[in-house]
Amino acid sequence: LISQWMWDHMGDAMVQEYACGAIFALSSDSNMESKTSITNGGCIDAILLCALQPQFQSENVQIWACGALSSLSHHENKRDVCVSSSGAAQSIFSMLEAGRKLHITPSPLMLEWAIRTLVNLDITSYNNDGCSQYVIGTFISLMSSDFCHASLHYNICVLICQLSSISSLIPSIVSQGGVKGILHTMKAHVDNVHIQQRCCAIFANLACDEAAVSEVADKNIVHHLLVTMSKHLKNLEFQEHACIVLARLAVHDRIVHTLLGDPATDIILRAMQIHCNSSILYENASVCITLLCKGKPDAFSNYMPSIFALIASNIVSNHNQEPLCVMMASLASDAYIRAENSMVEGVKAVITMMENCPTNANVQKMGCMALRNMSMSENTLGSQTLLENVLQIIFVAMKSHEENAHVQAEGCGAVWSISCYSRNGLDYINRSIRSIITAVQVHQDAQVEEQACGALWSLCVLDHRNKFLIRSMGGIEAIVCAMYICPDSLDFLENVCGLLSTLTENVECSNALYSQGIIDVMLETMRNHANVASIQQYCCLAIRNMAAGSNELALALNCSINLIVHAMQKHATAPKVQEEACGALWSLAANANINKGTIVSADGINVISAAMDGNCGEEAACAFAELANFNLS
């Protein structure tokens, strides 16, 4: 009936006004059934084609028409689709444009309801070049004026936030004064935390645009944001939005300079203390602090003790320990930062987080990564007690998460790093061998094998007794199996071949490797990765050691001679390859006479002579001497 009245009295502004007012009342949230009836009754078309026609410039008609559309479009169901598909957005734009041409100042209430309608509608219903540009230009200019009250400013911010989520529209928002408009809005309503939240959300979207970031820096918006954060510390949603903005802006050097000049970290830390359960806040705050401190030892020394104290206080929720571990791992990857004396407290903080979250695999993984990076400074684990605590928490993590490849890889990597850089606790470090071998046995994962073999290699170099432990704990079988499983991972193959070059110094290990078929898989590795000098070098050294320890193995390794000669030809300018290859040929020739003929027929004389000319050393001379005797005979 209302719809029919509107059609019958298109030229009567009063009918249109009261009809739209009636639709507004009937479509309120308390009248859900009426709302569907209104949609089905054709009232939307009546509003658009009667009340919003340009010839009706009555302010009250426009207000109630926009109010009705705002109410009808409020819920995410069939009614939204009807309002959207009816062209409501375009009708609103036409009405506003007609008023602009007639120099009519729009009513704030009408604008507010018009914007609410646009916000409620699916953004794709008006996301075309013409409509988007109109929205951006019209409403950003309003943001920069004193015309808007708080409610209208809030709704404009919501609309611009929607538009700024579309990356292709960001340059237009920036070029039409979006940054200036947002700053004006924030300053005009500094006590309105809801407006501040929406402004932060817009800045978070704009942070990917260089022009926007430059303008943010020029206008010192970050300083205003920090002041506002300190004013609304207890409001969780605003603090989350603010930390998101800071994390995204802190990737830019100009912004970092500003943040370091302001008490940014102090304010962020206060937010972290108050909102210790918020995952969003902790993830973004941790990223921001990382960006502020990385590469800046002074900033790290100034700010991080407070973070360590926060961790030690045990008020941080367990699910927020992970981003803090990620932060520590990232910061400790910086050589200058991990050399800081305060990093010792960082180690203790990581241990605390790992102890607090024993069942959280991600915390254990990132904790092990952090400890690995931290241990790369010889001063960090100088205390015997601290070293033992670090190793104990790593052992517990690997034992508790035996099935998790990431934890195993980082745990092995941490032991590897500690064994390389620590000068204390040798016997305690050696206890890690069983855990490492278990990781290799359980996981057919190249990263686990890489880190595990690197750790075992280092442990064997550190203490020759560990070769016996590896053999007695089933490590030989696990290593050979891993080479079959991961034949294409160069990082793993380099480490495992290095490990073989050390293990084969022990005769019992050489025999155990031989019985497990190491010769075939090692030669296949040399064949498949002939261009990798390090693999050729370590395999030649392993062959040298095996041949030197047993005539039987020297004879079995006859098939390696062509590959050794080829490695010397391929890597003629690599001194280490030349040296170890000459050593292998010397050992093979000295321990199995039949090998001499094979070396000669494989052009071994020429490559050894070339190595001697290159000042390769004792190995080339000794190999040549063995073959010279063979030729004379």
Side-chain angles (χ1 to χ4, degrees), residues 607-620:
V607 294
I608 294 170
S609 298
M612 290 178 67
D613 293 340
N615 300 316
C616 193
E618 178 186 0
E619 286 78 5

Side-chain angles (χ1 to χ4, degrees), residues 62-87:
Q62 293 175 347
I63 289 172
W64 288 110
C66 290
L69 289 174
S70 171
S71 180
L72 286 169
S73 63
H74 185 58
H75 292 277
E76 296 180 1
N77 54 24
K78 179 184 174 184
R79 290 180 297 278
D80 276 11
V81 176
C82 291
V83 177
S84 177
S85 63
S86 67

Side-chain angles (χ1 to χ4, degrees), residues 22-209:
I23 295 171
F24 175 79
L26 289 170
S27 62
S28 64
D29 290 343
S30 60
N31 291 312
M32 297 296 292
E33 292 184 7
S34 297
K35 190 173 289 192
T36 301
S37 299
I38 290 169
T39 302
N40 294 333
C43 284
I44 293 175
D45 289 340
I47 294 170
L48 301 182
L49 296 176
C50 298
L52 285 184
Q53 286 305 297
Q55 62 266 31
F56 296 115
Q57 291 303 326
S58 167
E59 181 175 271
N60 288 341
V61 173
Q62 293 175 347
I63 289 172
W64 288 110
C66 290
L69 289 174
S70 171
S71 180
L72 286 169
S73 63
H74 185 58
H75 292 277
E76 296 180 1
N77 54 24
K78 179 184 174 184
R79 290 180 297 278
D80 276 11
V81 176
C82 291
V83 177
S84 177
S85 63
S86 67
Q90 188 60 55
S91 294
I92 291 173
F93 300 148
S94 298
M95 176 194 68
L96 293 173
E97 181 63 14
R100 185 187 67 80
K101 290 179 178 179
L102 295 173
H103 305 289
I104 298 174
T105 301
S107 158
L109 182 58
M110 181 272 288
L111 284 173
E112 183 174 344
W113 276 341
I115 293 168
R116 285 185 185 179
T117 302
L118 296 175
V119 169
N120 292 339
L121 296 178
D122 182 354
I123 196 170
T124 58
S125 68
Y126 57 88
N127 180 29
N128 59 64
D129 288 341
C131 292
S132 297
Q133 297 305 321
Y134 184 86
V135 171
I136 292 168
T138 300
F139 295 116
I140 284 180
S141 64
L142 284 174
M143 291 179 79
S144 302
S145 70
D146 296 323
F147 172 76
C148 298
H149 52 72
S151 180
L152 181 53
H153 253 145
Y154 173 80
N155 283 286
I156 293 175
C157 287
V158 174
L159 180 59
I160 298 301
C161 186
Q162 280 189 350
L163 290 168
S164 66
S165 67
I166 301 172
S167 58
S168 61
L169 296 180
I170 290 177
S172 181
I173 293 173
V174 175
S175 65
Q176 296 197 50
V179 174
K180 178 184 176 182
I182 300 163
L183 178 59
H184 181 274
T185 302
M186 293 179 77
K187 288 183 175 180
H189 305 284
V190 69
D191 293 325
N192 190 317
V193 71
H194 303 294
I195 289 178
Q196 301 298 321
Q197 288 171 10
R198 293 303 174 183
C199 289
C200 282
I202 298 171
F203 277 131
N205 292 335
L206 298 184
C208 64
D209 184 85

Side-chain angles (χ1 to χ4, degrees), residues 29 33 92 103 121 131 174 241 269 292 296 316 323 347 372 380 409 439 468 478 487 495 498 513 598 603 630:
D29 290 343
E33 292 184 7
I92 291 173
H103 305 289
L121 296 178
C131 292
V174 175
H241 278 89
L269 180 63
L292 291 179
K296 305 173 186 66
V316 180
V347 172
R372 179 194 70 192
T380 303
F468 168 78
N495 286 348
L513 285 164
T598 306
D603 200 28
F630 171 78

Side-chain angles (χ1 to χ4, degrees), residues 334-351:
D334 186 310
Y336 295 103
I337 286 180
R338 62 172 173 259
E340 290 291 305
N341 292 330
S342 55
M343 188 55 83
V344 172
E345 297 304 315
V347 172
K348 296 176 182 178
V350 172
I351 292 174

Side-chain angles (χ1 to χ4, degrees), residues 8 13 112 140 187 217 226 282 345 406 439 452 496 499 540 565 584 614:
D8 291 345
E112 183 174 344
I140 284 180
K187 288 183 175 180
L226 292 172
Y282 265 75
E345 297 304 315
H406 299 294
V496 75
L499 174 58
C540 286
V565 171

Side-chain angles (χ1 to χ4, degrees), residues 77 93 191 240-241 273 285 317 391 527:
N77 54 24
F93 300 148
D191 293 325
E240 288 177 340
H241 278 89
Q273 291 169 335
S317 299
L391 288 167
R527 189 176 295 111

